[in-house]
Amino acid sequence: HVQLVESGGGSVQAGGSLRLSCAASGYTYNRNCMAWFRQAPGKEREGVARIATGSGNTYYADSAKGRFTISQDDTKNTVYLQMNSLKPEDTAMYYCAAKSFGCTVIPGLYNYWGQGTQVTVS
């Protein structure tokens, strides 16, 4: 089993930055891929970025490219999402997720989810 706890959300003005953290515990083999998703009110959950924890290979949604960076600190079992140049349309609940095999940004394929952290950009 894997437990994920997000932190770092908050309110920021457009153009500002936030760094989200996702602290993971549990079996390492269950989190070979970790990702950040977001969901705005009335919208579907969408993948923002993901990282293959073994290789460090990353992928970003078009909306995140050039502004967001996903990274990991193996010593802390933590994955980060650095978000720069934030826009009002980035406002959403951000979720960290983990899965065992393969690495995608399809939310239905993820086994483990955190509770989410709210990001509001005005």
Side-chain angles (χ1 to χ4, degrees), residues 8-52:
S11 296
V12 64
Q13 291 188 338
S17 298
L18 284 173
R19 188 178 79 157
L20 307 183
S21 299
C22 174
S25 60
Y27 292 114
T28 302
Y29 70 85
N30 279 342
R31 40 188 172 93
N32 289 329
C33 183
M34 297 191 68
W36 286 97
F37 294 84
R38 67 185 183 186
Q39 188 166 20
K43 295 188 177 182
E44 293 185 353
R45 191 167 296 190
E46 64 170 340
V48 175
R50 62 91 174 137
I51 184 166

Side-chain angles (χ1 to χ4, degrees), residues 10-16 18 85-92 119-122:
S11 296
V12 64
Q13 291 188 338
L18 284 173
S85 302
L86 283 162
K87 305 174 182 179
E89 51 263 45
D90 294 318
T91 295
V119 171
T120 302
V121 185
S122 59

Side-chain angles (χ1 to χ4, degrees), residues 8-113:
S11 296
V12 64
Q13 291 188 338
S17 298
L18 284 173
R19 188 178 79 157
L20 307 183
S21 299
C22 174
S25 60
Y27 292 114
T28 302
Y29 70 85
N30 279 342
R31 40 188 172 93
N32 289 329
C33 183
M34 297 191 68
W36 286 97
F37 294 84
R38 67 185 183 186
Q39 188 166 20
K43 295 188 177 182
E44 293 185 353
R45 191 167 296 190
E46 64 170 340
V48 175
R50 62 91 174 137
I51 184 166
T53 57
S55 66
N57 179 268
T58 59
Y59 169 86
Y60 298 92
D62 288 343
S63 59
K65 287 179 182 177
R67 300 189 300 128
F68 295 1
T69 303
I70 188 170
S71 61
Q72 60 181 344
D73 184 338
D74 292 337
T75 64
K76 298 181 180 179
N77 291 328
T78 300
V79 171
Y80 302 98
L81 185 68
Q82 177 68 43
M83 304 187 296
N84 299 326
S85 302
L86 283 162
K87 305 174 182 179
E89 51 263 45
D90 294 318
T91 295
M93 184 71 78
Y94 283 70
Y95 297 91
C96 175
K99 66 188 303 291
S100 303
F101 301 105
C103 215
T104 76
V105 287
I106 301 174
L109 297 181
Y110 279 76
N111 308 104
Y112 306 101
W113 292 86

